[in-house]
Amino acid sequence: MKEIEEPFEKSQIGSSAMAYKRNPMRSERMGSLARYVISLPVNAAITAGTQWFERTLDDSANRRIVIAQAFLALDGILNIYMNVSENLVVYDKVIAKHIAAELPFMATENIMMECEKAGGNRQQLHERIRVLSMEAGKNVKEMGGDNNLIDLIKADEMFAPVHDKLDEILDASKFIGRAPSQVEEFIVNEIDPILEENKAVLGQKGDVKV
């Protein structure tokens, strides 16, 4: 959807077949290594099932390979993940465009509630906005046009009480709930303590804050 990309080097070739494409090489590598690590517990389970916890040594060679490879693969995954997350490319204008295209549909309940406060009949409002939403959806899906729901609402007298409030109602920041504060709380209460506890391992000095 061209909203987000992993870092892309200047001399990197996106795809040998499709010149326009930028393959997520690092993410693909992480997925590949992760699938390998996920398969390792099966090997351990087979060894445990064969041994029946007897004091045999038939797990020795197996253990030396599996445990080492698990740690090495996970270390590789985390190193790649750090590289991707620290250098992530976000195209906020594309994201804003996609949000704007869907926001009218998400705002229908808010528009209905505002009209209801102004004395409108909820059942009638619901039916009317449903019909307009279907018309706008048809324009998008069948005609390949833009979402024109707001234009339809502006042209409908039933929604006159909100015609001068639509810009305010369509403020995307009002549709995210407690997401920002929840993220901040999670970082402060969960992430920061872990980073502080492991700052020596991370090569950090003093307080570690995200």
Side-chain angles (χ1 to χ4, degrees), residues 155-175:
D156 195 310
E157 283 303 311
M158 184 177 286
F159 300 98
V162 299
H163 284 172
D164 60 345
K165 299 179 181 178
L166 287 172
D167 288 341
E168 180 183 350
I169 294 173
L170 290 167
D171 180 356
S173 66
K174 295 182 178 180
F175 290 82

Side-chain angles (χ1 to χ4, degrees), residues 48 75 142 156:
D75 189 61
E142 295 185 18
D156 195 310

